[in-house]
């Protein structure tokens, strides 16, 4: 009898085993019909098993994508007069109302907010801005009241914007010293569409654009002598730049402007590792500040949002410089031998802004005497032929006394207090080696043994102005940073 019972137990276990195997085979067969992108790992199975005894999971968080409720969707209707009234249902948004880059004090009662905004909104609508100062709560019983002012907008990019245009909002609280007791507070910008985009709504976005901690305001900054005599606000650097050309440019201008100068370089993707290596020595000496602005590429504005970047530089360093220069890294500022940059600027001190004449240089014509040796020469040392066409308008670059400006541009400012002069010929100019900063191969393509030469119907003349001082610049670089950049390649 015991033997029969034992066999019965085995039969039950065998039946359970066969049932399990049949179930697993069925699952395996089913999996063959499930799309290949759907997979189950061992960890997934363990997780599912561990969840059997637990409570159901909470519902997933709502998506960041907006979903309109069915009740809010408009439907077409047949009116009593037989007309079919069509419905229009808007979804999403095509561009941001406002994108901030920086907010800075311009004095005891004024601020500047630098950013981007939807270009169609400003071209076809009339968006408005309101500024609000919210004092830090010191006493919950008697809290200080917020103060409001109309925001005055400036569009300094001359209509060049794409999806976004540059907007500078000036917040001036008339006859009121903001944060007078230096206990802190916040500046809030209210940006309203004023019915642009959808006349049914006046959408207003509230942005906290600046927070001042207790004791953060140094009122003497606005009346003190600036830290630097000369300040460079660079445009956006992008692309595959030539590190040797950058090396030459920074060495030249540190010597030109002298020890009371500073350079802000904006990296929009062009400061790759080799370019960074030639900037590092000057950063370590305190001459150069490098800012990574690559994230602005997310927003489609003109030329890497150049107008926004230079305006941010203007307001960020407005009280740190007596004179601020705006030009590019393929351009070299020059004054005649009997002058200095100080003597020239002293002669222009009555002006808030002056523009600088351009000397366009060939990017590929060199002297025959340099043939076979050009790879050892600096760019401005070997490119010595100047475009001599006269009677045409050429772009100019400029310098300003920044405390007089409200906003700025690429070639000059149109938002300033004070006078502008363009009459600077013979006093200051700049040599422009267009395109050489992005040329990684040897620049010299044509070698000439003449003082005059015509190429592609453009007359050129020999101009060795910068070539003649190349040796001085090289010695200066060695004196300042040693030989660490001697092996820099193009």
């Amino acid at each position: 009898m015991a033997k029969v019972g034992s066999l019965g137990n085995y039969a039950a276990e065998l039946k359970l085993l066969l049932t399990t195997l049949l179930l697993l085979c069925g699952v395996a067969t089913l999996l063959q019909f499930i799309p290949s992108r759907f997979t189950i790992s061992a960890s997934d199975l363990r997780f599912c098993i561990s969840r059997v005894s637990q409570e159901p999971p909470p519902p997933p968080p709502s998506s960041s994508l907006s979903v309109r409720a069915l009740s809010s969707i408009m439907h077409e209707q047949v009116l009593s007069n037989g007309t079919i009234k069509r419905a229009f249902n808007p979804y999403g948004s095509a561009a941001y109302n406002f994108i901030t880059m920086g907010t800075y004090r311009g004095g005891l009662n004024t601020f500047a907010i630098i950013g981007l905004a939807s270009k169609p909104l400003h071209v076809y609508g009339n968006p408005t801005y309101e500024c609000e100062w919210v004092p830090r709560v010191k006493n919950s019983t008697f809290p200080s009241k917020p103060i409001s002012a109309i925001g005055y907008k400036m569009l300094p990019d001359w209509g060049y914007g794409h999806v976004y245009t540059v907007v500078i909002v000036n917040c001036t609280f008339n006859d009121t010293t903001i944060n007078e007791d230096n206990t802190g507070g916040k500046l809030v910008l209210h940006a309203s569409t004023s019915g642009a985009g959808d006349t049914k709504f006046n959408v207003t976005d509230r942005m906290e654009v600046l927070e001042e901690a207790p004791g953060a305001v140094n009122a003497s900054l606005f009346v003190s002598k600036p830290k630097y005599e000369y300040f460079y606000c660079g445009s956006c650097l992008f692309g595959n730049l030539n590190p040797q050309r950058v090396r030459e440019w920074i060495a030249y201008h540190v010597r030109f402007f002298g020890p009371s100068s500073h350079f802000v370089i904006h990296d929009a993707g062009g400061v790759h590792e080799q370019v960074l290596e030639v900037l590092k020595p000057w950063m370590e000496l305190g001459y150069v500040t490098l800012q990574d602005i690559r994230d602005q590429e997310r927003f489609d504005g003109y030329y890497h949002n150049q107008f926004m970047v230079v305006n941010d530089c203007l307001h960020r360093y407005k009280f740190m410089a007596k004179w601020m220069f705006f030009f590019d890294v393929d351009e070299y500022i020059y004054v005649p031998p009997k002058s200095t940059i100080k003597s020239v600027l002293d002669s222009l001190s009555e002006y808030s802004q002056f523009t600088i004449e351009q000397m366009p240089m060939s990017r590929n014509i060199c002297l025959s005497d340099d043939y076979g040796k050009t790879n050892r020469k600096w760019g401005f040392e070997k490119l010595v032929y100047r475009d001599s066409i006269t009677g045409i308008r050429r772009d100019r670059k400029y310098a300003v006394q920044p405390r007089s400006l409200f906003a700025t541009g690429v070639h000059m400012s149109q938002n300033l207090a004070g006078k502008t002069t363009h009459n600077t010929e013979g006093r200051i100019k700049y040599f422009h080696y267009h395109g050489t900063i992005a040329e990684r191969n040897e620049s010299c393509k044509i070698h000439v043994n003449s003082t005059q030469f015509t190429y592609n119907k453009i007359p050129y003349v020999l101009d060795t102005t910068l070539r003649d001082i190349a040796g001085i610049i090289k010695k200066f670089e060695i004196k300042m940073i040693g030989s660490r950049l001697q092996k820099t390649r193009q």
Side-chain angles (χ1 to χ4, degrees):
M1 292 294 294
K3 188 173 184 179
V4 173
S6 176
L7 289 173
N9 290 337
Y10 285 135
E13 293 175 358
L14 181 60
K15 183 178 180 180
L16 178 61
L17 177 61
L18 291 174
T19 302
T20 303
L21 289 174
L22 181 62
L23 180 61
L24 290 175
C25 289
V27 172
T29 303
L30 179 62
L31 288 175
Q32 297 180 32
F33 298 97
I34 296 177
S36 59
R37 65 178 179 270
F38 181 83
T39 60
I40 299 177
S41 65
S43 60
D44 294 330
L45 290 173
R46 287 195 298 270
F47 177 77
C48 291
I49 293 171
S50 68
R51 297 288 289 177
V52 171
S53 61
Q54 299 179 14
E55 295 181 1
S62 60
S63 169
S64 59
L65 299 176
S66 60
V67 179
R68 293 192 60 172
L70 290 175
S71 61
S72 68
I73 295 177
M74 303 296 292
H75 299 279
E76 63 181 55
Q77 308 171 44
V78 179
L79 303 181
S80 59
N81 63 1
T83 303
I84 299 176
K85 180 177 176 59
R86 301 296 302 275
F88 301 89
N89 291 288
Y91 296 88
S93 58
Y96 293 107
N97 187 357
F98 201 87
I99 302 162
T100 62
M101 182 175 182
T103 301
Y104 309 99
R105 267 190 179 267
L108 297 177
N109 68 338
T110 184
F111 301 83
I113 305 168
I114 293 86
L116 301 171
S118 167
K119 182 177 179 180
L121 185 66
H122 284 268
V123 173
Y124 302 107
N126 185 31
T128 59
Y129 299 97
E130 182 181 359
C131 310
E132 179 186 19
W133 175 260
V134 182
R136 183 172 177 268
V137 176
K138 305 184 292 293
N139 187 328
S140 58
T141 305
F142 303 102
S144 300
K145 293 182 179 180
I147 308 169
S148 296
I150 299 297
Y152 174 72
K153 66 179 181 180
M154 292 165 278
L155 308 178
D157 66 3
W158 299 351
Y160 286 160
H162 295 166
V163 174
Y164 292 101
T165 191
V166 178
V167 179
I168 313 300
V169 180
N170 176 273
C171 300
T172 298
F173 299 84
N174 293 325
D175 304 320
T176 303
T177 299
I178 298 300
N179 194 15
E180 185 173 14
D181 55 3
N182 213 356
T183 56
K186 295 179 180 180
L187 180 67
V188 177
L189 177 67
H190 301 269
S192 300
T193 62
S194 302
D198 189 337
T199 56
K200 188 176 180 180
F201 301 103
N202 178 19
V203 179
T204 300
D205 290 292
R206 180 184 187 275
M207 294 158 268
E208 294 183 359
V209 294
L210 178 68
E211 181 172 3
E212 290 183 343
V217 178
N218 177 14
S220 66
L221 175 68
F222 309 124
V223 294
S224 299
K225 179 181 178 180
K227 179 178 180 180
Y228 302 107
E229 289 288 319
Y230 318 111
F231 202 95
Y232 171 76
C233 278
S235 296
C236 307
L237 295 188
F238 59 93
N240 186 19
L241 300 186
N242 185 322
Q244 174 60 26
R245 297 291 90 84
V246 177
R247 171 198 176 189
E248 299 162 2
W249 183 92
I250 190 65
Y252 176 94
H253 285 99
V254 170
R255 180 186 177 276
F256 178 81
F257 287 116
S260 185
S261 63
H262 196 76
F263 302 78
V264 173
I265 307 295
H266 295 101
D267 174 20
V271 182
H272 52 76
E273 185 176 351
Q274 293 170 309
V275 172
L276 181 59
E277 286 301 312
V278 302
L279 292 176
K280 273 185 178 179
W282 303 104
M283 293 168 66
E284 292 166 3
L285 290 177
Y287 282 98
V288 172
T289 294
L290 178 63
Q291 295 186 10
D292 182 343
I293 59 163
R294 299 185 184 199
D295 276 358
Q296 54 75 31
E297 297 289 344
R298 295 164 49 198
F299 312 109
D300 182 22
Y302 172 74
Y303 210 70
H304 308 272
N305 292 305
Q306 184 176 15
F307 283 88
M308 176 178 67
V309 170
V310 295
N311 272 280
D312 182 84
C313 188
L314 165 69
H315 288 284
R316 187 182 184 94
Y317 300 104
K318 188 174 187 175
F319 297 98
M320 295 184 68
K322 183 176 181 180
W323 287 97
M324 189 172 280
F325 284 76
F326 298 86
F327 60 101
D328 295 328
V329 290
D330 57 0
E331 298 166 344
Y332 289 70
I333 306 295
Y334 178 82
V335 297
K338 293 183 179 180
S339 302
T340 64
I341 186 62
K342 183 180 185 306
S343 66
V344 170
L345 296 188
D346 285 348
S347 72
L348 296 167
S349 60
E350 66 180 288
Y351 299 101
S352 297
Q353 173 178 236
F354 67 86
T355 61
I356 308 171
E357 180 186 16
Q358 179 185 168
M359 300 287 111
M361 303 296 289
S362 168
R363 60 186 291 181
N364 51 30
I365 305 176
C366 301
L367 282 171
S368 295
D369 288 347
D370 290 341
Y371 185 79
K373 301 177 289 184
T374 53
N375 64 323
R376 299 193 298 273
K377 294 187 179 295
W378 284 17
F380 62 81
E381 183 181 10
K382 57 190 174 185
L383 296 170
V384 291
Y385 283 88
R386 174 171 52 82
D387 180 341
S388 60
I389 295 178
T390 59
I392 63 172
R393 180 192 175 279
R394 300 187 190 276
D395 286 339
R396 299 171 75 97
K397 293 302 167 72
Y398 70 108
V400 301
Q401 299 196 55
R403 299 187 186 197
S404 301
L405 267 66
F406 306 108
T408 197
V410 173
H411 294 286
M412 65 178 293
S413 170
Q414 293 182 316
N415 303 96
L416 74 163
K419 299 186 297 181
T420 295
T421 182
H422 306 287
N423 186 25
T424 58
E425 285 79 359
R427 286 191 276 184
I428 186 170
K429 56 188 174 182
Y430 74 95
F431 290 88
H432 187 192
Y433 299 85
H434 180 69
T436 57
I437 193 68
E439 175 63 69
R440 298 297 301 269
N441 298 316
E442 174 54 53
S443 298
C444 295
K445 304 294 193 300
I446 302 169
H447 292 82
V448 178
N449 186 22
S450 174
T451 57
Q452 298 182 358
F453 180 71
T454 299
Y455 179 66
N456 285 341
K457 299 182 180 180
I458 298 175
Y460 291 92
V461 295
L462 182 66
D463 188 334
T464 62
T465 301
L466 295 192
R467 177 187 177 94
D468 294 341
I469 61 174
I472 297 173
I473 308 302
K474 293 177 182 180
K475 290 178 181 178
F476 173 77
E477 184 197 57
I478 292 289
K479 175 185 175 182
M480 295 295 291
I481 63 173
S483 60
R484 57 192 293 185
L485 299 182
Q486 294 302 299
K487 295 183 180 180
T488 302
R489 304 185 67 177
Q490 297 193 97

